[in-house]
């Protein structure tokens, strides 16, 4: 019985069907299935499948994004139940994501956010044109593990360094790790500003983020 | 008999316009610049004080379209009107603002510095296919505060052609306008005979950012031409359908033109863009995709029904090398742009989604442009009879007969574009004797020839030293004592 339900759950994510994933989450609650079991044995299987397919060039972005949405919807349905049971879902980690001040390039950052969410990270996406104090403030507020900064302009990439310097000044590293990316960001730059991780694409960003939270093998 | 490419019916264009007007009201346009919001509110747009979303009524668009110039020129250093924005005129310029350049020897994408921009300028200056120069790459060897204006300084030093440029902040747009005024003699002169046009981007979907709207206002007031570069990305930052994307593009242009004309009615502005599809496998913005070219052709058609001057981004490739993919994407898309009658087509020379430039690609693309220009030159009627007049007494049914005719000598240059050495039409023997080179190899040679033959144009030394002093001053404020040393110009 559960096996069949797990399969349906995974499939609802693969199909990006939020209505169905919510319905299945409710069903899990009805039959007293532990919410964590529903997540790990059901829904996450679907997310992983679609993530692998995307990595292999077999699935496409809309499918990935819709799967992420379906996953979010299912988890949101299960979360109150989890709280009641007193067990919080263990996420991969909390990430504050933003495009730096003076820069309005949004898409790459959003994609990275989507991939991180789909991989189990809890992502707070602040949007574009975000000054250092807002980024750091948010990171402190949610006790983030990672700050992720995107910069698409050679004239704004220096803002990444400013945030890192500020974090260092406040003694917030290595507690908070910093990941950077964007078209002009090279390995050289990443090393120069002493960030903790960098990636040239969204799939790589997930890998790096997992390493940064010490969960490279998950 | 000029060939023309159109993709939309009149009926569809009418629907695009109609729905674009609807988008201006719902969901409206997010206007993140305070002054722009004030201008809009004063003119009758409704603005949500919380979200900064403006509802712009069609009447404001109609009014703006009444005052906007239908055509204008860019002028070269000597004051000749050489670029015509309007009608079906077609011009090309190299792509702008690359951050890397293909190293023809190592095939690495090198981080760009002063020497790279100069290399591109020298090559483009001597290729007649490029009617304008562009501020083609960023120079990482100067501080970020002057990275946009410093490019303009280098172009003004090394070229006489009109310039397609852009600023990265509201502050630097003013500095760049000042640089143009130094060269023109005064601000009035700079606007009367504009040398340069500035790209200004809305942010898709339906946002005029603080930076974008601010630049529109500054340019309108200075009377320096602005070029809207709306970048709807189908399926990511715009609807997945081409018609949906073109409609969003229309709404973004409408809003931009309204803000611009409210700031100063009658200032020149261009209906332009770098629309592209969004690649769903790689999450990229392919500039060489055929759908990208189709979007551009379509929005140009919309512009033409409004009688607006046009611009687009075509002639670029997503390949990382100057290879067969680069050739086919750049060639095909340049052809589509030309057949669409787009006034300024930016993008030549560029690889890797507009991130990387190549001088070798510029010389190959020049051949693609020449082909496109030849194509729109059309099939011409040169002679009284089409053929019969060619068969005179001397015809003795031999293949070479026509080589002996005077009219062949007179007309072959008009009928045929003569390609440069980049295009191979050699016999196999001659090709082998010349080193068995492929197009890239031949392009490398041509670039070297052009670099060797380049001479910096003669420019009033007084103007140059004022420009230099101005730029040096900006540089000092940005924290460096000297500008990078230039081979061709030593300031007094
Ligand atoms: C936290 O960890 C991580 C890890 C990995 C991370 C990461 C964070 N962030 C990104 N990654 C990585 O993973 C992502 C997914 O694979 C990747 O993200 P990307 O963002 O690289 O990739 C996206 C999925 C798709 N790529 C993109 O979305 C960017 C494509 C290009 C063409 C581009 C676009 C689309 C836009 N632009 Co702009 N734009 C260009 C871009 C050219 C290019 N090749 O990058 C570039 C970056 N732009 C440029 C310019 C000049 C400008 N743009 C401007 C504006 C815009 C639009 C608004 C029109 C639009 C953005 C729309 C939007 N809503 O985001 C202006 C800047 C405004 C500002 N102040 O920010 C303006 C200044 C133009 C003007 N004159 O107004 C150039 C850079 C110049 C420079 N100095 O660096 C440019 C290279 C194009 C060019 N040749 O002109 C990776 O980088």
């Amino acid at each position: 019985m559960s096996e069949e339900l797990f399969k349906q759950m995974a499939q609802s994510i693969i199909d990006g069907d939020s209505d169905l994933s919510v319905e299945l989450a409710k069903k899990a609650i009805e039959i007293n299935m532990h919410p964590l079991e529903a997540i790990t044995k059901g829904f996450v299987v679907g997310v992983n499948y679609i993530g692998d397919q995307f990595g292999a060039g077999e699935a496409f972005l809309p499918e990935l994004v819709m799967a992420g949405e379906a996953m979010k919807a299912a988890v949101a349905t299960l979360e109150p139940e989890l709280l009641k049971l007193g067990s919080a879902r263990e996420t991969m980690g909390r990430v504050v994501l933003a495009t730096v001040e003076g820069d309005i390039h949004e898409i790459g950052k959003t994609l990275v956010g989507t991939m991180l969410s789909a991989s189990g990270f809890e992502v707070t996406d602040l949007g574009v044109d975000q000054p250092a104090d807002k980024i750091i403030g948010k990171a402190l507020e949610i006790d983030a593990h990672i700050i992720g900064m995107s910069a698409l302009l050679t004239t704004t990439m220096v803002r990444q360094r400013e945030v890192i310097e500020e974090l260092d000044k406040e003694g917030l590293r290595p507690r908070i790790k910093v990941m950077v990316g964007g078209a002009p960001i090279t390995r050289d730059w990443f090393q120069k500003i002493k960030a903790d991780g960098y990636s040239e694409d969204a799939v790589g960003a997930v890998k790096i983020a997992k390493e940064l939270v010490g969960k490279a093998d998950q | 008999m000029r060939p023309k490419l159109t993709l939309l019916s009149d009926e569809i264009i009418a629907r695009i316009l109609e729905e674009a007007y609807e988008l201006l009201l719902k969901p409206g346009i997010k206007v993140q610049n305070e002054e722009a919001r004030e201008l809009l509110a004063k003119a009758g747009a409704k603005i949500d004080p919380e979200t900064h979303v403006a509802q712009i009524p069609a009447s404001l668009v109609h009014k703006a379209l009444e005052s906007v110039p239908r055509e204008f020129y860019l002028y070269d250093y000597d004051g000749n009107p050489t670029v015509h924005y309007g009608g079906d005129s077609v011009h090309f310029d190299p792509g702008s603002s690359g951050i890397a350049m293909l190293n023809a020897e190592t095939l690495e994408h090198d981080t760009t510095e002063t020497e790279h921009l100069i290399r591109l300028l020298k090559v483009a200056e001597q290729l007649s296919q490029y009617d304008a120069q562009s501020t083609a790459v960023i120079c990482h060897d100067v501080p970020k505060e002057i990275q946009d204006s410093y490019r303009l300084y280098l172009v003004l030093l090394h070229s006489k052609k009109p310039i397609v440029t852009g600023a990265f902040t509201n502050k630097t747009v003013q500095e760049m306008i000042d640089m143009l005024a130094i060269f023109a003699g005064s601000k009035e002169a700079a606007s009367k005979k504009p040398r340069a046009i500035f790209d200004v981007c809305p942010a898709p979907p339906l946002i005029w950012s603080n930076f974008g709207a601010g630049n529109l206002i500054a340019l309108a007031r200075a009377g320096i031409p602005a070029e809207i570069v709306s970048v709807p990305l189908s399926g990511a930052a715009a609807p997945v359908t081409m018609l949906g994307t073109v409609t969003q593009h229309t709404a973004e242009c409408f809003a931009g033109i309204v803000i611009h004309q409210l700031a100063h009615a009658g200032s020149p502005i261009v209906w332009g863009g770098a629309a592209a599809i969004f690649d769903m496998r790689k999450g990229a913005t392919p500039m060489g995709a055929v759908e990208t070219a189709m979007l551009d052709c379509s929005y140009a058609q919309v512009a033409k029904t409004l009688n607006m001057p046009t611009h687009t981004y075509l002639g670029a490739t997503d390949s990382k090398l100057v290879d067969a993919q680069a050739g086919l994407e750049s060639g095909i898309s340049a052809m589509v742009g030309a057949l669409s009658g787009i006034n300024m087509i930016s993008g030549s020379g560029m690889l890797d989604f507009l991130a990387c430039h190549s001088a070798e690609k510029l010389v190959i693309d020049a051949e693609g442009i020449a082909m496109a220009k030849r194509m729109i030159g059309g099939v011409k009627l040169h002679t009284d009879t089409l053929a019969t007049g060619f068969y005179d007494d001397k015809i003795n049914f031999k293949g070479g007969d026509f080589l002996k005719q005077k009219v062949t000598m007179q007309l072959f240059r008009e009928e045929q574009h003569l390609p440069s050495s980049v295009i191979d039409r050699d016999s196999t023997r001659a090709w082998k004797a010349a080193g068995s080179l492929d197009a890239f190899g031949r392009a490398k040679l041509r670039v070297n020839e052009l670099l060797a033959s380049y001479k910096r144009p003669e420019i009033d030394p007084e103007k140059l030293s004022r420009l230099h002093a101005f730029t040096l001053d900006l540089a000092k404020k940005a924290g460096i004592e000297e500008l990078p040393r230039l081979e061709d110009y030593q300031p007094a």
Side-chain angles (χ1 to χ4, degrees), chain B residues 238-301:
Chain B
V240 67
T241 58
M242 285 194 199
L243 289 174
T245 300
V246 173
T247 307
Q248 179 181 310
H249 179 277
T250 306
E252 288 176 0
C253 284
F254 274 162
I257 293 170
V258 169
I259 295 169
H260 182 264
Q261 292 296 299
L262 285 174
H264 194 277
S267 275
I269 185 161
V270 174
W271 187 283
I277 52 162
F278 197 69
D279 183 281
M280 295 302 177
R281 196 151 29 189
K282 302 289 178 188
T285 55
M287 292 295 160
V290 71
E291 298 85 353
T292 291
M294 290 165 77
L295 288 169
D296 296 340
C297 173
S298 302
Y299 80 62
Q301 225 187 310

Coordinates of all heavy atoms in Angstrom, one line a residue, chain B residues 238-301:
Chain B
A238 N 9.7 36.1 -20.2 CA 8.6 36.5 -21.1 C 7.8 35.2 -21.5 O 8.3 34.1 -21.3 CB 9.2 37.1 -22.4
P239 N 6.6 35.4 -22.0 CA 5.8 34.2 -22.4 C 6.6 33.3 -23.3 O 7.4 33.8 -24.1 CB 4.6 34.8 -23.1 CG 4.5 36.2 -22.5 CD 5.9 36.7 -22.3
V240 N 6.3 32.0 -23.3 CA 7.0 31.1 -24.1 C 6.7 31.2 -25.6 O 7.6 30.9 -26.4 CB 6.7 29.6 -23.6 CG1 5.3 29.2 -23.9 CG2 7.7 28.6 -24.3
T241 N 5.6 31.8 -25.9 CA 5.3 31.9 -27.3 C 5.9 33.1 -27.9 O 6.2 34.1 -27.3 CB 3.7 32.1 -27.5 OG1 3.3 33.2 -26.8 CG2 3.0 30.9 -27.1
M242 N 6.2 33.0 -29.2 CA 6.9 34.2 -29.9 C 5.9 35.4 -29.9 O 6.4 36.5 -29.6 CB 7.2 33.8 -31.4 CG 8.3 32.9 -31.5 SD 8.9 32.8 -33.2 CE 9.9 31.3 -33.0
L243 N 4.6 35.1 -30.1 CA 3.7 36.3 -30.2 C 3.6 36.9 -28.8 O 3.5 38.1 -28.7 CB 2.4 35.8 -30.7 CG 2.4 35.5 -32.2 CD1 1.1 35.0 -32.7 CD2 2.8 36.8 -33.0
G244 N 3.6 36.1 -27.7 CA 3.6 36.6 -26.4 C 4.8 37.5 -26.1 O 4.7 38.6 -25.5
T245 N 5.9 36.9 -26.5 CA 7.2 37.7 -26.3 C 7.2 39.0 -27.0 O 7.6 40.0 -26.5 CB 8.4 36.8 -26.7 OG1 8.3 35.6 -26.0 CG2 9.7 37.5 -26.5
V246 N 6.8 39.0 -28.3 CA 6.8 40.2 -29.1 C 5.8 41.2 -28.4 O 6.1 42.4 -28.4 CB 6.4 39.9 -30.5 CG1 6.3 41.2 -31.3 CG2 7.5 39.1 -31.2
T247 N 4.7 40.7 -27.9 CA 3.8 41.7 -27.3 C 4.4 42.3 -26.0 O 4.2 43.5 -25.8 CB 2.5 40.9 -26.9 OG1 2.0 40.3 -28.1 CG2 1.4 41.9 -26.4
Q248 N 5.1 41.5 -25.2 CA 5.7 42.1 -24.0 C 6.8 43.1 -24.5 O 6.9 44.1 -23.9 CB 6.4 40.9 -23.2 CG 7.1 41.5 -22.0 CD 7.8 40.4 -21.1 OE1 7.1 39.4 -20.8 NE2 9.0 40.6 -20.8
H249 N 7.5 42.7 -25.5 CA 8.5 43.6 -26.0 C 7.9 45.0 -26.4 O 8.4 46.0 -26.1 CB 9.2 43.0 -27.3 CG 10.2 43.8 -27.9 ND1 9.9 44.8 -28.8 CD2 11.6 43.9 -27.8 CE1 11.0 45.4 -29.2 NE2 12.0 44.9 -28.6
T250 N 6.7 44.9 -27.1 CA 6.0 46.1 -27.5 C 5.6 46.9 -26.3 O 5.9 48.2 -26.3 CB 4.7 45.7 -28.3 OG1 5.1 44.8 -29.3 CG2 4.0 46.9 -28.8
A251 N 5.1 46.3 -25.2 CA 4.7 47.0 -24.0 C 5.9 47.7 -23.4 O 5.9 48.8 -22.9 CB 4.0 46.1 -23.0
E252 N 7.1 47.0 -23.3 CA 8.3 47.5 -22.7 C 8.8 48.7 -23.5 O 9.2 49.7 -22.9 CB 9.4 46.5 -22.6 CG 9.1 45.4 -21.5 CD 10.1 44.3 -21.4 OE1 11.0 44.2 -22.2 OE2 9.9 43.4 -20.5
C253 N 8.7 48.6 -24.8 CA 9.1 49.7 -25.7 C 8.2 50.9 -25.5 O 8.6 52.1 -25.4 CB 9.2 49.3 -27.1 SG 10.6 48.3 -27.5
F254 N 6.9 50.6 -25.5 CA 5.9 51.7 -25.3 C 6.2 52.5 -24.0 O 6.3 53.7 -24.0 CB 4.5 51.1 -25.2 CG 3.8 50.9 -26.5 CD1 2.7 50.1 -26.6 CD2 4.2 51.6 -27.7 CE1 2.0 49.8 -27.8 CE2 3.6 51.3 -28.9 CZ 2.5 50.5 -29.0
A255 N 6.4 51.7 -22.9 CA 6.6 52.4 -21.6 C 7.9 53.2 -21.7 O 7.9 54.4 -21.2 CB 6.7 51.4 -20.5
G256 N 8.9 52.7 -22.3 CA 10.2 53.4 -22.4 C 10.0 54.7 -23.2 O 10.5 55.8 -22.8
I257 N 9.3 54.6 -24.3 CA 9.1 55.8 -25.2 C 8.3 56.8 -24.4 O 8.6 58.0 -24.5 CB 8.5 55.4 -26.5 CG1 9.4 54.5 -27.3 CG2 8.1 56.6 -27.3 CD1 8.8 53.8 -28.5
V258 N 7.3 56.4 -23.7 CA 6.5 57.4 -22.9 C 7.4 58.1 -21.9 O 7.4 59.4 -21.9 CB 5.3 56.7 -22.2 CG1 4.7 57.6 -21.2 CG2 4.3 56.2 -23.2
I259 N 8.2 57.4 -21.1 CA 9.0 58.0 -20.1 C 10.0 59.0 -20.8 O 10.2 60.1 -20.4 CB 9.8 56.9 -19.3 CG1 8.8 56.1 -18.5 CG2 10.9 57.6 -18.4 CD1 9.5 54.8 -17.9
H260 N 10.6 58.5 -21.9 CA 11.6 59.3 -22.6 C 11.0 60.6 -23.2 O 11.5 61.7 -23.0 CB 12.1 58.4 -23.7 CG 13.2 59.0 -24.6 ND1 12.9 59.6 -25.8 CD2 14.5 59.1 -24.4 CE1 14.1 60.0 -26.3 NE2 15.1 59.7 -25.5
Q261 N 9.8 60.5 -23.8 CA 9.2 61.6 -24.4 C 8.7 62.6 -23.4 O 8.6 63.8 -23.6 CB 8.2 61.2 -25.4 CG 8.7 60.5 -26.7 CD 9.6 61.4 -27.5 OE1 9.3 62.5 -28.0 NE2 10.9 61.0 -27.6
L262 N 8.3 62.0 -22.2 CA 7.8 62.9 -21.1 C 9.0 63.7 -20.6 O 8.8 64.9 -20.2 CB 7.2 62.1 -20.0 CG 5.8 61.6 -20.2 CD1 5.3 60.7 -19.1 CD2 4.7 62.7 -20.5
A263 N 10.1 63.1 -20.6 CA 11.3 63.9 -20.1 C 11.7 64.9 -21.1 O 12.1 66.0 -20.7 CB 12.5 62.9 -19.9
H264 N 11.6 64.6 -22.3 CA 11.9 65.7 -23.3 C 11.3 65.3 -24.7 O 11.8 64.5 -25.4 CB 13.4 65.9 -23.5 CG 13.6 67.2 -24.2 ND1 13.6 67.3 -25.6 CD2 13.8 68.5 -23.8 CE1 13.9 68.5 -26.0 NE2 14.0 69.3 -24.9
A265 N 10.1 65.9 -25.0 CA 9.5 65.5 -26.2 C 10.3 65.9 -27.4 O 11.0 66.9 -27.4 CB 8.1 66.2 -26.3
G266 N 10.4 64.9 -28.4 CA 11.1 65.2 -29.6 C 12.5 64.7 -29.6 O 13.2 64.7 -30.6
S267 N 13.0 64.2 -28.5 CA 14.4 63.6 -28.5 C 14.3 62.2 -29.2 O 13.3 61.5 -29.1 CB 14.8 63.3 -27.0 OG 15.5 64.5 -26.6
P268 N 15.4 61.9 -29.9 CA 15.4 60.6 -30.7 C 15.5 59.4 -29.8 O 16.3 59.3 -28.9 CB 16.6 60.8 -31.6 CG 17.5 61.8 -30.9 CD 16.6 62.7 -30.1
I269 N 14.7 58.4 -30.2 CA 14.7 57.1 -29.5 C 14.4 56.0 -30.5 O 13.6 56.2 -31.4 CB 13.7 57.1 -28.3 CG1 13.9 55.8 -27.5 CG2 12.3 57.3 -28.7 CD1 13.4 55.9 -26.0
V270 N 15.0 54.8 -30.2 CA 14.9 53.7 -31.2 C 14.2 52.5 -30.6 O 14.4 52.2 -29.4 CB 16.3 53.3 -31.7 CG1 16.3 52.1 -32.5 CG2 17.0 54.5 -32.4
W271 N 13.4 51.9 -31.4 CA 12.7 50.7 -31.0 C 13.6 49.5 -31.2 O 13.8 49.0 -32.3 CB 11.5 50.5 -31.9 CG 10.5 49.5 -31.6 CD1 10.6 48.1 -31.8 CD2 9.2 49.7 -31.0 NE1 9.4 47.5 -31.4 CE2 8.6 48.4 -30.9 CE3 8.5 50.8 -30.5 CZ2 7.3 48.2 -30.4 CZ3 7.2 50.6 -30.0 CH2 6.6 49.3 -30.0
G272 N 14.3 49.0 -30.1 CA 15.3 48.0 -30.3 C 15.2 46.9 -29.3 O 14.3 46.8 -28.5
G273 N 16.2 46.0 -29.4 CA 16.2 44.9 -28.4 C 17.2 43.9 -28.7 O 18.0 43.9 -29.6
A274 N 17.2 42.9 -27.8 CA 18.0 41.7 -27.9 C 17.1 40.5 -27.5 O 17.5 39.8 -26.6 CB 19.3 41.8 -27.1
A275 N 16.0 40.5 -28.1 CA 15.0 39.4 -27.7 C 15.7 38.1 -28.0 O 16.5 38.0 -28.9 CB 13.7 39.6 -28.5
A276 N 15.4 37.1 -27.2 CA 15.9 35.8 -27.4 C 15.0 34.7 -26.8 O 14.2 35.0 -25.9 CB 17.4 35.6 -26.8
I277 N 15.2 33.5 -27.3 CA 14.5 32.4 -26.6 C 15.3 32.0 -25.4 O 16.5 32.4 -25.3 CB 14.2 31.2 -27.5 CG1 15.5 30.8 -28.2 CG2 13.2 31.5 -28.5 CD1 15.5 29.3 -28.7
F278 N 14.8 31.3 -24.5 CA 15.5 30.8 -23.4 C 15.7 29.3 -23.6 O 14.7 28.5 -23.8 CB 14.8 31.0 -22.1 CG 15.6 30.9 -20.9 CD1 16.6 31.8 -20.6 CD2 15.4 29.9 -20.0 CE1 17.4 31.8 -19.5 CE2 16.2 29.8 -18.8 CZ 17.2 30.7 -18.6
D279 N 17.0 28.8 -23.6 CA 17.2 27.4 -23.9 C 16.9 26.6 -22.6 O 17.4 26.8 -21.5 CB 18.7 27.2 -24.2 CG 19.0 25.8 -24.5 OD1 19.1 24.9 -23.6 OD2 19.1 25.4 -25.7
M280 N 16.0 25.7 -22.8 CA 15.4 24.9 -21.7 C 16.3 23.8 -21.2 O 16.0 23.2 -20.2 CB 14.0 24.4 -22.0 CG 13.0 25.5 -22.3 SD 12.9 26.6 -20.8 CE 11.7 27.8 -21.4
R281 N 17.3 23.5 -22.0 CA 18.2 22.4 -21.5 C 19.4 23.0 -20.7 O 19.8 22.5 -19.7 CB 18.7 21.6 -22.7 CG 19.3 20.3 -22.3 CD 19.2 19.2 -23.4 NE 19.2 19.7 -24.7 CZ 18.9 19.0 -25.8 NH1 18.6 17.7 -25.6 NH2 18.9 19.5 -27.0
K282 N 19.9 24.1 -21.2 CA 21.1 24.7 -20.6 C 20.8 25.9 -19.8 O 21.7 26.5 -19.2 CB 22.1 25.1 -21.7 CG 22.5 23.9 -22.6 CD 23.4 22.9 -21.9 CE 23.7 21.7 -22.8 NZ 24.4 20.7 -22.0
G283 N 19.6 26.5 -19.9 CA 19.3 27.7 -19.2 C 20.2 28.8 -19.7 O 20.8 29.5 -19.0
A284 N 20.2 29.0 -21.0 CA 21.0 30.0 -21.6 C 20.1 30.9 -22.5 O 19.0 30.6 -22.8 CB 22.1 29.3 -22.4
T285 N 20.7 32.0 -23.0 CA 20.0 32.9 -23.9 C 20.6 32.9 -25.3 O 21.4 33.8 -25.6 CB 20.1 34.3 -23.3 OG1 21.6 34.6 -23.1 CG2 19.5 34.4 -21.9
P286 N 20.2 31.9 -26.1 CA 20.9 31.8 -27.4 C 20.6 32.9 -28.4 O 19.5 33.2 -28.7 CB 20.3 30.4 -27.9 CG 19.1 30.2 -27.2 CD 19.2 30.9 -25.9
M287 N 21.7 33.6 -28.7 CA 21.6 34.7 -29.6 C 21.7 34.2 -31.1 O 21.4 34.9 -32.0 CB 22.8 35.7 -29.4 CG 22.7 36.4 -28.1 SD 21.2 37.4 -28.1 CE 20.9 37.6 -26.4
G288 N 22.1 33.0 -31.3 CA 22.3 32.5 -32.7 C 21.1 31.6 -33.1 O 21.0 31.1 -34.2
A289 N 20.1 31.4 -32.2 CA 19.0 30.5 -32.5 C 18.1 31.2 -33.6 O 17.9 32.4 -33.6 CB 18.1 30.3 -31.3
V290 N 17.5 30.4 -34.4 CA 16.7 30.9 -35.5 C 15.4 31.6 -34.9 O 15.0 32.6 -35.4 CB 16.3 29.8 -36.5 CG1 15.3 28.8 -36.0 CG2 15.7 30.5 -37.8
E291 N 14.9 31.1 -33.8 CA 13.8 31.7 -33.2 C 14.1 33.1 -32.7 O 13.3 34.0 -32.7 CB 13.3 30.9 -32.0 CG 12.8 29.5 -32.3 CD 13.9 28.5 -32.4 OE1 15.1 28.8 -32.3 OE2 13.6 27.3 -32.6
T292 N 15.4 33.3 -32.2 CA 15.8 34.6 -31.8 C 15.7 35.6 -32.9 O 15.2 36.7 -32.8 CB 17.3 34.5 -31.2 OG1 17.2 33.8 -30.0 CG2 17.9 35.9 -31.0
A293 N 16.2 35.1 -34.1 CA 16.1 36.0 -35.3 C 14.6 36.2 -35.7 O 14.3 37.3 -36.1 CB 16.8 35.3 -36.4
M294 N 13.8 35.2 -35.5 CA 12.4 35.4 -35.8 C 11.7 36.4 -34.9 O 10.9 37.2 -35.4 CB 11.7 34.0 -35.8 CG 12.1 33.1 -36.8 SD 11.5 31.4 -36.5 CE 9.8 31.5 -36.9
L295 N 12.1 36.4 -33.6 CA 11.5 37.4 -32.7 C 11.9 38.8 -33.1 O 11.1 39.7 -33.1 CB 12.1 37.1 -31.3 CG 11.6 35.9 -30.5 CD1 12.4 35.7 -29.3 CD2 10.1 36.1 -30.2
D296 N 13.2 38.9 -33.5 CA 13.6 40.2 -33.9 C 13.0 40.8 -35.1 O 12.6 41.9 -35.2 CB 15.2 40.2 -34.1 CG 15.9 39.9 -32.8 OD1 15.3 40.0 -31.7 OD2 17.0 39.4 -32.8
C297 N 12.8 39.8 -36.1 CA 12.1 40.2 -37.4 C 10.7 40.7 -37.0 O 10.2 41.6 -37.6 CB 12.1 39.0 -38.3 SG 11.2 39.3 -39.8
S298 N 10.1 39.9 -36.1 CA 8.7 40.2 -35.8 C 8.5 41.6 -35.1 O 7.7 42.4 -35.4 CB 8.1 39.1 -34.9 OG 8.2 37.9 -35.5
Y299 N 9.4 41.8 -34.1 CA 9.2 43.1 -33.4 C 9.6 44.3 -34.3 O 9.0 45.4 -34.1 CB 9.9 43.1 -32.0 CG 11.4 43.4 -31.9 CD1 11.9 44.6 -32.3 CD2 12.2 42.5 -31.3 CE1 13.3 44.8 -32.2 CE2 13.6 42.7 -31.2 CZ 14.1 43.9 -31.6 OH 15.4 44.1 -31.5
A300 N 10.5 44.0 -35.2 CA 10.8 45.1 -36.2 C 9.6 45.4 -37.0 O 9.3 46.6 -37.4 CB 12.0 44.7 -37.0
Q301 N 8.9 44.4 -37.3 CA 7.7 44.6 -38.2 C 6.6 45.4 -37.4 O 6.0 46.3 -37.9 CB 7.1 43.2 -38.5 CG 6.7 43.1 -40.0 CD 5.9 41.8 -40.2 OE1 6.4 40.8 -39.8 NE2 4.8 41.9 -40.9

